[in-house]
Amino acid sequence: MDRRVARTTGRIKKVFGELIQEKAFADITVKMICDAADVERKTFYLHFKDKYDLLDAILKEHFEAFRENVRQIPDAKPIDFYREALVMLGRHREFFKRVYNGQASALIRKRIQYYVLQRLQLEYGTDVDPAIQHFIAAGIGGVFESYINGEIEGSDEQIAADMAWMVVQAKKYLKKNSNK
């Protein structure tokens, strides 16, 4: 990526992160972002379709960094995946809380479900009914959302252990009932 492009998109993303700390997602406009980042609207639209596309790009960056952290763990287990996810969500809690509780909640739920589904396919393989995988992914996404909103208490380690245990129980259930 060209350094100028990286610098411009980086500045836009940084400004958006600052604005979301002050305002609800619904109240943030492209004009506000451009003014604060000192870029023309046409420059913004050269890189992003709209503020949702910008948010999605930021979410992808967060989740790709998270996935890279998990890849760095030798012989990573499911608990490592959930713990690292909780660490990443906790590190950016206010950002994620504002996104989850705002106009873009469907976007973040979809992005989280995408990454959880990828992880479940590693654990289960591709022979498990997609409806079941989506059901489990939605539940895990719900735990993440509750964690971000402070509705679940406990250490990241304990919550991750509970999540891993639930997924193992689901896997056992699937094995037991796959022949029926």
Side-chain angles (χ1 to χ4, degrees), residues 2-169:
D2 181 290
R3 282 187 290 181
R4 290 175 299 161
V5 170
R7 191 171 44 245
T8 300
T9 58
R11 192 166 61 242
I12 291 169
K13 290 173 186 175
K14 182 178 183 285
V15 162
F16 178 81
E18 292 166 358
L19 287 171
I20 198 105
Q21 299 302 318
E22 302 166 10
K23 301 180 180 307
F25 181 80
D27 297 334
I28 297 172
T29 64
V30 171
K31 182 178 180 349
M32 285 176 178
I33 297 167
C34 292
D35 289 348
D38 196 27
V39 298
E40 299 290 325
R41 288 172 64 97
K42 67 182 179 181
T43 302
F44 177 91
Y45 288 115
L46 182 65
H47 303 290
F48 306 102
K49 290 185 274 186
D50 53 26
K51 68 181 185 176
Y52 291 93
D53 189 42
L54 169 60
L55 175 60
D56 195 40
I58 293 168
L59 291 175
K60 282 179 186 175
E61 281 183 7
H62 282 306
F63 287 110
E64 286 305 318
F66 147 71
R67 284 176 63 177
E68 189 54 38
N69 287 346
V70 172
R71 279 191 206 111
Q72 300 298 321
I73 299 171
D75 302 318
K77 296 174 179 46
I79 190 171
D80 298 317
F81 173 85
Y82 302 119
R83 185 185 54 253
E84 288 299 316
L86 292 167
V87 167
M88 184 266 301
L89 293 169
R91 187 177 306 127
H92 305 286
R93 184 181 299 264
E94 285 308 310
F95 172 81
F96 284 108
K97 186 184 257 188
R98 286 192 160 284
V99 174
Y100 255 124
N101 296 317
Q103 194 179 26
S105 59
L107 178 64
I108 191 168
R109 284 184 185 98
K110 183 177 179 179
R111 180 65 49 206
I112 285 178
Q113 190 165 357
Y114 170 79
Y115 284 102
V116 171
L117 279 169
Q118 286 185 326
R119 180 63 199 185
L120 290 174
Q121 287 172 351
L122 285 174
E123 290 179 46
Y124 293 137
T126 55
D127 57 339
V128 173
D129 182 346
I132 294 170
Q133 287 186 7
H134 281 270
F135 179 80
I136 294 168
I140 292 169
V143 171
F144 287 150
E145 183 174 359
S146 295
Y147 171 81
I148 288 166
N149 287 316
E151 298 164 359
I152 296 178
E153 294 183 15
S155 69
D156 291 352
E157 191 69 34
Q158 183 57 53
I159 296 167
D162 291 345
M163 293 173 77
W165 181 84
M166 287 183 268
V167 171
V168 166
Q169 298 310 307

